[in-house]
Each structure stands twice: as C-alpha cells, then as structure tokens.
C-alpha cells in the first residue's frame, strides 16, 4: 500500500462559527461537576491547547479581513503583494463589448 493510499483524506471545511461551537463545548466540559480532579486537570490542559489554536485561527481570519478591506478600499493594485495571504480573484476586462 502506498503512502497516498494509507493517508486519510483530510479536508478543512470549518468556519469561524465551528470554532465558536468548539469553544463552548469545551466550556461545558470544564463545567461538568461530575469530573474528578484528574479529569478536570486533563480538560484544563485540553482547553489551553484549544485556546492556543483558536487564537491562531482568529489572527488568521483578522489578517484575511484586513487584506479584503485593503483591496476594497484601495483597489486591486495591492493584490500582487497580497498573493501569499489570499488567492487573487479572477479579473475580467470588457473590450469592444465582449468579456475576456
């Protein structure tokens, strides 16, 4: 079996609303009064890891929003400099009544 066949298919389709759901689910787990001290410690470590990842996701989303705001406010002449942040949109021009 090749490495490609053995590797599970991985596709990110999450949204920021999903992150919100994960954060609230962790709050609910931390608030479970039936947890032992050991389980509480385990959930607290898990919460720290989730918060660390969530912070990075939020920073990335903020950067994407800033890039979109820059493009919306100042035009696409900045787009080549932002290629590493977000894919460049397809631009079409109209020439002699036709779209190219």
């Amino acid at each position: 079996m090749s490495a490609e066949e053995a590797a599970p298919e991985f596709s990110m389709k999450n949204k920021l609303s999903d992150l919100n759901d994960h954060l609230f689910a962790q709050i609910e787990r931390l608030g479970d009064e039936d947890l032992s001290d050991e389980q509480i410690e385990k959930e607290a470590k898990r919460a720290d890891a989730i918060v660390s990842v969530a912070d990075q996701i939020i920073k990335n989303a903020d950067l994407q929003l800033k890039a979109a705001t820059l493009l919306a406010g100042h035009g696409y002449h900045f787009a080549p400099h932002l290629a590493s942040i977000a894919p460049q949109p397809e631009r079409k021009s109209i020439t002699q009544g036709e779209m190219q």
Side-chain angles (χ1 to χ4, degrees):
M1 180 184 294
S2 72
E4 292 160 351
E5 293 171 333
E9 185 150 333
F10 185 72
S11 175
M12 293 295 292
K13 296 180 182 176
N14 294 324
K15 302 176 197 135
L16 289 177
S17 60
D18 297 326
L19 173 61
N20 204 33
D21 293 340
H22 286 293
L23 293 172
F24 278 110
Q26 185 60 37
I27 288 172
E28 289 176 13
R29 284 190 294 273
L30 286 169
D32 185 350
E33 295 184 15
D34 295 331
L35 294 178
S36 67
D37 289 344
E38 184 179 308
Q39 290 171 318
I40 291 172
E41 185 176 332
K42 181 180 175 182
E43 286 301 326
K45 287 180 182 179
R46 180 179 169 156
D48 286 341
I50 290 172
V51 166
S52 179
V53 171
D55 284 343
Q56 292 304 311
I57 292 170
I58 291 167
K59 287 177 184 177
N60 184 47
D62 183 53
L63 182 60
Q64 290 176 346
L65 178 60
K66 287 177 181 176
T69 302
L70 179 67
L71 289 174
H74 300 286
Y76 284 88
H77 63 278
F78 286 102
H81 303 289
L82 300 175
S84 63
I85 297 171
Q88 292 184 358
E90 184 180 333
R91 296 184 67 193
K92 297 181 180 179
S93 62
I94 299 174
T95 317
Q96 298 176 344
E98 296 180 347
M99 293 193 67
Q100 292 184 341

